[in-house]
């Protein structure tokens, strides 16, 4: 159970403030500086820039961000603070958020988590030089342990020789161009000593000189522009680039002795590699945070627009707000339930990750991966709905939805493709990383679809059904290779992960309702929980009916239950979005909201 333990305030809160407190809790003071900074004119959307101009602007803005950071080391070490940065930055500049994530998390965070006592971090803390991270190769993405780039020890010279052995080994897509000024990289490469391959480690590699020109042996090719965040994506290769022995990032997982021998507490090259790139897990939290921030912003814009834009009613001459139509507001209200569930899930996951002991680390990493996949996918679905509900105006980049939606595609792939990380999580859950809850002994016919306990039992039923189905298929005694057996089980295994994360998210919504001090806020969260859980149950009612966890009568009741859940939330949609705390200075810049008069 990952239920968030948010503090309860000692004084009564208004309805909106109570909801905001439950969404941000004790983190509010961490979020507020970013909220203020990114609502300033410095980060206002600029029309008509070329890709190159937008990229350069992102780097300029990143330095503004760094000037506002009291302690970059503390920021890189703190998952709550780093997540807060991503939640607010992505709304105003997806490119800046991407390079900030690379610099603070992957580059600086990796340096801090390895031996660094003798290394001067000042140039990167002051952003005199920017850091980037080169792991993925053109031919090796999700199979990163098979990377080809080598760093070979030259004993005579006391150096490493960094080389790209084939075109497929080019480091793929990191921001290694001359844009943004002087840069250094952490390069994932195979450590080769006397012909022996010791696995992949990170090597600190200068890319440019002080003026920003690429150094000899560093070859950078700009890649075609992507549909995602505007960043200087490149393919990078190394032609016998010589590095000092201090370039190797060392730790308990691997250190080089004075005699040039590798000593490690880990016997497995794969484990050494995973330890070297451990910040990728924190990166998953950053990607989730980005998606949450842009999703809450899109919801705010779409709901406000729907209240101000008028259209025809049901009688001649009648004019009503778009939001009064069920076909318009129902998808938005359902998206609000998902957005609240996703935000609260992220809060619990971050806390679980931050507090995990060494023995809990593996389970926490799996939870981070599952949440990242689900949150970024849900962000795509919710923002797509918001964009469509805003019509043609939703296509304008200056209205703050379409560009963020496109950039979110990058979060779905970055730090591990969603499907791939879910496949890994599913395998672990089937091999002992998950124990399904037993079915409730209360007869389904005696239970109510409005009962949150019943809804949670139904979500747990879906977990158990899919877990059992996947294990049966995985262990089936039929002719076929291990891959064929896994292929037969993988669909059910992935649906297990989906049911699992839905149950966890619903659990967080219900826990937040229990912590609410304002009665109306509590009721709203209970209604959000009911709608969120009912939607998933309804989508899989046939499965539950077949396994006798729902009755036929309850299946027939589901449409009416969903209608009632939507109807209960419709009058409160503005309140629910106001709790997202999207700055008025920001929404006032969106053309379709500039003249908005939102009813009380």
């Amino acid at each position: 159970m990952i239920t968030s333990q948010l503090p309860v305030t000692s004084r009564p809160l208004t309805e909106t403030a109570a909801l905001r407190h439950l969404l941000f809790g004790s983190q509010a003071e961490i979020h507020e500086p970013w909220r203020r900074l990114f609502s300033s004119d410095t980060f206002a959307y600029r029309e008509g820039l070329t890709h190159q101009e937008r990229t350069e602007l992102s780097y300029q803005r990143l330095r503004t961000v760094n000037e506002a950071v009291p302690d970059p080391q503390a920021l890189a070490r703190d998952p709550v603070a780093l997540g807060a940065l991503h939640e607010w930055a992505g709304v105003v500049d997806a490119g800046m958020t991407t390079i900030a994530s690379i610099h603070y998390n992957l580059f600086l965070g990796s340096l801090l988590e390895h031996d660094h006592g003798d290394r001067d971090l000042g140039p990167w803390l002051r952003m005199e030089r920017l850091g980037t991270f080169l792991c993925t190769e053109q031919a090796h993405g999700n199979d990163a342990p098979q990377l080809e780039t080598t760093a070979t020890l030259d004993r005579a010279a006391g150096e490493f020789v960094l080389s790209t052995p084939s075109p497929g080994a080019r480091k793929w897509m990191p921001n290694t161009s001359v844009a943004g000024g002087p840069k250094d990289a952490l390069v994932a490469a195979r450590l080769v000593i006397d012909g022996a391959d010791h696995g992949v480690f990170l090597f600190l590699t200068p890319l440019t000189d002080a003026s920003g020109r690429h150094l000899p042996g560093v070859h950078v090719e700009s890649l075609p522009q992507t549909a995602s965040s505007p960043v200087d994506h490149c393919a990078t290769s190394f032609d016998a680039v010589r590095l000092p022995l201090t370039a190797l990032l060392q730790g308990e997982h691997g250190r080089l002795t004075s005699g040039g021998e590798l000593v490690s507490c880990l016997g497995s090259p794969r484990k050494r590699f995973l330890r070297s790139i451990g910040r990728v897990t924190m990166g998953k939290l950053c990607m989730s945070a980005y998606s949450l921030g842009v999703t809450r912003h899109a919801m705010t814009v779409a709901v406000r627009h729907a209240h101000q834009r008028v259209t025809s009613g049901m009688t001649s001459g009648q004019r009503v707000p778009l939001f009064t139509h069920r076909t318009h507001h129902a998808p938005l209200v359902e998206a609000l339930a998902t957005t609240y569930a996703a935000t609260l899930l992220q809060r619990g996951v971050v806390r679980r990750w931050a507090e995990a002991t060494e023995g809990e680390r593996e389970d926490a990493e799996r939870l981070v991966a599952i949440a990242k996949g689900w949150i970024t996918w849900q962000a795509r679905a919710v923002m797509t709905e918001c964009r469509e509900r805003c019509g043609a105006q939703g296509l304008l980049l200056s209205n703050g939805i379409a560009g963020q939606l496109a950039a979110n595609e990058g979060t779905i792939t970055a730090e591990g493709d969603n499907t791939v990380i879910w496949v890994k999580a599913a395998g672990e859950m089937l091999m002992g990383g998950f124990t399904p809850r037993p079915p409730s002994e209360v007869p389904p016919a005696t239970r109510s679809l409005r009962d949150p306990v019943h809804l949670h039992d139904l979500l747990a039923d879906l977990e158990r059904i899919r877990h059992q189905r996947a294990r049966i298929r995985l262990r089936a005694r039929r002719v076929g290779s291990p891959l064929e057996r896994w292929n037969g089980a993988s669909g059910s295994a992935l649906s297990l992960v989906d049911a699992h994360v839905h149950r966890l998210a619903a659990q967080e919504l219900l826990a937040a309702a229990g912590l609410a001090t304002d009665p109306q806020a509590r009721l709203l969260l209970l209604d959000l929980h009911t709608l969120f859980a009912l939607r998933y149950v309804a989508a899989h009612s046939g499965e539950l009916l077949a396994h006798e966890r729902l009755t036929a009568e309850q299946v027939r009741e589901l449409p009416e239950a969903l209608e009632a859940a939507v109807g209960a939330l419709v009058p409160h949609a503005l309140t629910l979005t106001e709790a997202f705390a999207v700055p008025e200075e920001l929404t006032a810049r969106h053309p379709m909201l500039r003249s908005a008069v939102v009813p009380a």
Side-chain angles (χ1 to χ4, degrees):
M1 185 170 178
I2 59 167
T3 302
S4 302
Q5 297 299 316
L6 299 176
V8 177
T9 57
S10 58
R11 56 186 176 82
L13 296 172
T14 65
E15 180 182 337
T16 300
L19 290 169
R20 191 171 296 180
H21 176 73
L22 290 164
L23 289 171
F24 299 100
S26 59
Q27 300 180 15
E29 62 184 28
I30 297 173
H31 285 261
E32 185 58 25
W34 297 123
R35 181 177 175 273
R36 289 198 308 270
L37 178 66
F38 293 128
S39 62
S40 67
D41 290 341
T42 300
F43 295 92
Y45 179 77
R46 298 191 191 178
E47 198 72 61
L49 299 183
T50 65
H51 174 74
Q52 182 63 35
E53 289 169 338
R54 202 165 292 287
T55 299
E56 291 287 358
L57 177 61
S58 292
Y59 280 107
Q60 293 170 22
R61 287 172 165 175
L62 179 58
R63 288 188 163 83
T64 300
V65 169
N66 199 61
E67 291 171 2
V69 177
D71 185 349
Q73 286 195 61
L75 174 65
R77 293 182 187 276
D78 185 346
V80 173
L82 200 54
L85 165 62
H86 285 74
E87 287 188 35
W88 298 99
V91 173
V92 297
D93 192 328
M96 178 199 67
T97 309
T98 299
I99 56 179
S101 191
I102 294 168
H103 178 83
Y104 288 121
N105 177 54
L106 293 176
F107 182 83
L108 188 56
S110 294
L111 286 177
L112 292 171
E113 291 191 357
H114 290 76
D115 296 346
H116 63 275
D118 297 330
R119 202 184 300 277
D120 179 15
L121 303 181
W124 304 299
L125 298 176
R126 296 186 295 270
M127 277 197 183
E128 295 164 1
R129 298 185 68 86
L130 283 165
T132 186
F133 193 82
L134 280 63
C135 184
T136 301
E137 296 176 353
Q138 186 170 352
H140 303 286
N142 293 312
D143 63 340
Q146 306 305 314
L147 298 176
E148 298 179 48
T149 303
T150 59
T152 303
L153 178 63
D154 181 341
R155 289 186 179 277
E159 295 175 325
F160 295 111
V161 181
L162 185 65
S163 299
T164 303
S166 70
R170 294 191 302 169
K171 295 299 182 181
W172 193 250
M173 291 193 75
N175 55 320
T176 55
S177 80
V178 296
K183 293 179 181 176
D184 300 302
L186 292 179
V187 180
R190 295 190 169 280
L191 173 60
V192 179
I193 301 175
D194 299 333
D197 180 353
H198 292 274
V200 178
F201 290 82
L202 295 179
F203 294 82
L204 179 58
T205 306
L207 297 178
T208 70
D209 59 22
S211 64
R213 292 188 298 266
H214 286 120
L215 293 168
V218 178
H219 302 289
V220 175
E221 174 189 348
S222 294
L223 294 176
Q225 186 174 342
T226 70
S228 186
S229 55
V231 175
D232 51 320
H233 295 297
C234 299
T236 310
S237 57
F238 303 96
D239 182 12
V241 173
R242 292 195 165 263
L243 302 173
L245 297 182
T246 54
L248 173 64
L249 265 60
Q250 305 184 64
E252 293 297 324
H253 65 293
R255 288 194 176 93
L256 203 63
T257 69
S258 58
E261 304 298 329
L262 182 74
V263 294
S264 174
C265 65
L266 300 174
S268 165
R270 176 177 175 78
K271 289 182 178 180
R272 292 199 288 267
F273 166 69
L274 293 176
R275 173 62 184 80
S276 294
I277 64 164
R279 290 297 294 202
V280 168
T281 297
M282 183 61 223
K284 290 179 173 65
L285 290 173
C286 292
M287 297 302 98
S288 298
Y290 165 86
S291 291
L292 284 171
V294 295
T295 300
R296 292 196 300 265
H297 173 265
M299 285 294 332
T300 301
V301 172
V303 170
R304 288 191 184 185
H305 172 71
H307 279 83
Q308 81 174 63
R309 180 70 177 263
V310 295
T311 188
S312 300
M314 296 302 292
T315 59
S316 178
Q318 183 186 33
R319 303 288 287 172
V320 297
L322 278 172
F323 201 77
T324 59
H325 288 281
R326 189 65 131 206
T327 52
H328 195 96
H329 66 233
L332 291 177
V333 169
E334 292 171 355
L336 273 171
T338 298
T339 304
Y340 266 79
T343 299
L344 293 166
L345 175 67
Q346 172 80 347
R347 300 292 180 249
V349 170
V350 170
R351 195 196 70 256
R352 171 80 175 271
W353 170 253
E355 297 175 358
T357 64
E358 191 60 36
E360 298 168 334
R361 184 65 60 177
E362 185 175 345
D363 288 344
E365 287 182 356
R366 180 168 59 252
L367 180 60
V368 169
I370 291 172
K372 181 262 180 179
W374 186 74
I375 289 170
T376 57
W377 270 327
Q378 295 304 311
R380 172 201 275 166
V382 170
M383 283 195 288
T384 298
E385 193 63 63
C386 291
R387 204 295 305 157
E388 189 173 348
R389 298 280 68 76
C390 291
Q393 295 196 63
L395 295 172
L396 300 181
L397 295 177
S398 54
N399 278 325
I401 298 177
Q404 287 80 351
L405 171 59
N408 186 70
E409 291 300 301
T411 70
I412 289 171
T413 300
E415 318 302 9
D417 178 82
N418 281 358
T419 298
V420 175
I421 61 177
W422 268 32
V423 166
K424 179 177 181 292
E428 292 172 355
M429 290 176 73
L430 291 177
M431 295 297 110
F434 169 73
T435 301
R437 285 172 45 186
S440 170
E441 295 182 0
V442 181
T446 66
R447 310 185 76 177
S448 167
L449 292 175
R450 294 286 299 183
D451 177 10
V453 176
H454 184 208
L455 292 175
H456 276 277
D457 285 344
L458 291 172
L459 297 177
D461 288 335
L462 288 168
E463 286 179 306
R464 186 182 60 260
I465 292 165
R466 294 167 182 183
H467 183 266
Q468 182 180 26
R469 183 189 305 136
R471 285 175 67 87
I472 288 172
R473 294 184 68 83
L474 190 61
R475 295 176 175 180
R477 294 184 177 275
R478 60 180 182 270
V479 177
S481 67
L483 177 58
E484 289 172 321
R485 290 195 296 275
W486 172 250
N487 283 342
S490 59
S492 296
L494 287 175
S495 68
L496 161 64
V497 178
D498 188 59
H500 181 61
V501 70
H502 271 87
R503 182 178 65 79
L504 294 178
Q507 180 177 287
E508 290 294 327
L509 260 177
L510 192 59
L515 293 170
T517 56
D518 177 80
Q520 183 60 31
R522 183 183 303 112
L523 287 174
L524 287 175
L525 288 165
L526 287 172
D527 287 336
L528 287 167
H529 169 268
T530 297
L531 178 57
F532 178 78
L534 273 176
R535 284 186 68 209
Y536 196 72
V537 167
H540 304 284
S541 57
E543 200 172 353
L544 291 164
L545 178 65
H547 287 81
E548 300 181 335
R549 305 313 302 163
L550 277 178
T551 67
E553 181 59 31
Q554 286 170 333
V555 173
R556 285 191 290 268
E557 290 174 7
L558 278 168
E560 288 302 318
L562 282 166
E563 282 290 315
V566 169
L569 289 164
V570 167
H572 307 283
L574 284 171
T575 296
L576 290 167
T577 55
E578 286 167 6
F580 293 155
V582 176
E584 293 295 332
E585 297 89 343
L586 184 57
T587 56
R589 296 192 189 108
H590 299 323
M592 69 178 175
L593 296 182
R594 200 166 286 153
S595 59
V597 179
V598 180

